[in-house]
Amino acid sequence: MPSAHDPAAQQRHRLVDVPGGRIHLVEQGEGPLVLLVHGFPESWYSWRRQLPALAAAGYRAVALDVRGYGRSCKPAAVDAYRMLALVSDNAAVVRALGAESAVVIGHDWGSPIAANSALLRPDLFSAVGLLSVPYSPRGGPRPTSVFGAVGGEDEFYVSYFQQPGRAEAEIEPDVRGWLAGFYAGLSADTMAPAGEASLFFVPPGRALRDRFDGATLPAWLSEAELDGYAQEFERTGLTGALNRYRNVDRDWEDLAAWDGMAIAQPSLFLGGALDASTGWMAAAIDAHATTLPGLRGSHLLDGCGHWVQQERPDEVNALLIDWLDGLPRG
C-alpha cells in the first residue's frame, strides 16, 4: 500500500465509456486537462514519470490505455482500430471527464493519434504535443505500397506486422523477452552501433527478434517495470496493439478529406537525436514550419533514443511544462 506521500497514492484509475467499449485511464492532479497517449508496445504506464510532474505543475494529467491495450476494450474486428475510432475514443474521454477541451500529447503511435485528434477535433483539442514521431499530413501513395518497397530483400517491420497472427506467433511465447529486446534495441544506451543491422528490417524467413542484441536492459527500465509491461501483454495478447499497424491503408482512405492539411493549434515536438524515427522522418520535421504553423518548440535531445519520456523524464517534463505554461487558458 503506497503512503499518503507517495505520488502514486494520488493517482486515480477509472474506466470511462466510449463508443463501442470502455477506456481505462489514470489521472493525477487538478487544473487544465492534459491527455497523454502512449505508443507501441506500451500502456498508460509509459507516462508514469510525467503524471506526478504535470500534476505538481497545476495540470490534470490523464494517461490512458489506448483501445487494445491494458484494461481498455479490445474489439475483435481489425477495423475497430482505425484512426477515426481512436480519435473518437479521445474525444469521448474528454467529455467523460467533464472537460470542455484538452491538450493532447502522444508518443510513438500516440503521436499520430494525438495529431489526428487535433486535426479532426479542433473544437476539443486546443494544443498538441508530439514525441518521437513528427507530424506528417495524409498524402502520397497507399502506405503499404510504400512500406513494401522499403528494405530491399529484407522486410520492413510495418509490413511484417500486417498479417494477423504472424507477429503474435513470434512475440507471445516469450512476451517478456521480446519486450526487453525491443525496448533495448531502441534505447540510446543499449541500441546496436550505427551501421549494424537495423531492428526494423526482417531478413527472409527470419523473425524480428533475430535482430535483438543481447539481454541488457536500458538504464530507464528496471526488472520490476519490465515485469509490469510484460504482465499486461501476457494477459491481453498483442493483437489489439498490432491491429494499429493493420489499419494504415484504411486510415489513408478514411482521412482523404484531410489530405495535406496543417494543424493550426499550438504545438510542440520532442524527439531523440539517436532515434531512427527522427532520422527517417527528418523531412517531416523540417516541414513543421508549414504543417504545424502553431509550433512553439522543436527539440532533438542529444544522446537520446526512441523512448524519450522514459529515457529523459526530467528534461522532457521541463520542456512539456514550459510549453504548457505558455499556452492560453480558456
Side-chain angles (χ1 to χ4, degrees):
M1 180 77 65
S3 73
H5 301 290
D6 187 334
Q10 304 166 31
Q11 293 176 357
R12 304 173 294 278
H13 289 255
R14 293 179 57 179
L15 285 166
V16 300
D17 291 329
V18 299
R22 296 197 297 175
I23 293 295
H24 168 251
L25 56 85
V26 180
E27 60 178 318
Q28 187 167 359
E30 302 295 336
L33 179 60
V34 179
L35 188 64
L36 304 168
V37 187
H38 68 82
F40 175 89
E42 301 177 277
S43 71
W44 76 268
Y45 191 62
S46 69
W47 301 103
R48 62 194 176 281
R49 297 184 175 99
Q50 282 66 56
L51 287 167
L54 295 179
Y59 296 94
R60 184 185 184 187
V62 172
L64 54 79
D65 280 334
V66 174
R67 67 164 60 193
Y69 288 83
R71 305 180 206 174
S72 289
C73 60
K74 296 163 188 65
V78 173
D79 65 0
Y81 298 85
R82 69 205 310 159
M83 184 62 72
L84 293 181
L86 302 179
V87 170
S88 178
D89 285 349
N90 284 354
V93 166
V94 173
R95 291 305 193 202
L97 294 174
E100 294 296 322
S101 65
V103 174
V104 61
I105 299 172
H107 169 257
D108 183 79
W109 257 122
S111 177
I113 296 170
N116 281 287
S117 296
L119 181 68
L120 274 61
R121 296 300 307 268
D123 57 315
L124 283 180
F125 298 102
S126 59
V128 59
L130 309 176
L131 276 59
S132 297
V133 177
Y135 176 54
S136 182
R138 186 268 187 206
R142 184 174 293 273
T144 54
S145 298
V146 176
F147 297 139
V150 174
E153 292 185 359
D154 291 346
E155 188 174 16
F156 191 48
Y157 81 108
V158 178
S159 299
Y160 182 76
F161 286 166
Q162 290 301 304
Q163 181 183 336
R166 184 186 182 193
E168 289 93 325
E170 172 190 337
I171 301 168
E172 291 178 357
D174 178 19
V175 169
R176 191 182 192 277
W178 195 93
L179 291 176
F182 195 76
Y183 295 149
L186 299 180
S187 298
D189 59 333
T190 48
M191 64 174 55
E196 292 193 6
S198 172
L199 181 67
F200 294 104
F201 295 94
V202 183
R206 305 291 295 278
L208 192 148
R209 72 181 309 139
D210 294 332
R211 296 293 204 192
F212 296 166
D213 182 23
T216 303
L217 292 186
W220 60 266
L221 184 66
S222 70
E223 295 283 352
E225 289 169 330
L226 176 60
D227 283 340
Y229 278 123
Q231 287 164 9
E232 286 288 82
F233 287 112
E234 286 166 348
R235 180 176 58 82
T236 65
L238 270 291
T239 296
L242 289 162
N243 279 346
R244 175 83 292 273
Y245 292 91
R246 296 163 185 159
N247 278 277
V248 291
D249 281 351
R250 189 169 286 110
D251 296 340
W252 181 79
E253 295 166 356
D254 287 345
L255 298 172
W258 291 270
D259 188 84
M261 286 189 63
I263 296 174
Q265 296 98 307
S267 55
L268 175 73
F269 175 72
L270 302 178
L274 300 181
D275 184 3
S277 298
T278 57
W280 293 336
M281 303 189 73
I285 297 172
D286 292 341
H288 276 169
T290 300
T291 60
L292 294 176
L295 188 68
R296 297 191 176 188
S298 182
H299 308 271
L300 284 181
L301 308 187
D302 290 337
C304 185
H306 182 68
W307 317 104
V308 286
Q309 78 269 31
Q310 297 179 87
E311 291 187 51
R312 303 280 277 277
D314 293 341
E315 191 170 352
V316 168
N317 291 346
L319 290 167
L320 289 178
I321 291 167
D322 182 67
W323 172 67
L324 289 167
D325 287 348
L327 297 175
R329 300 202 180 194

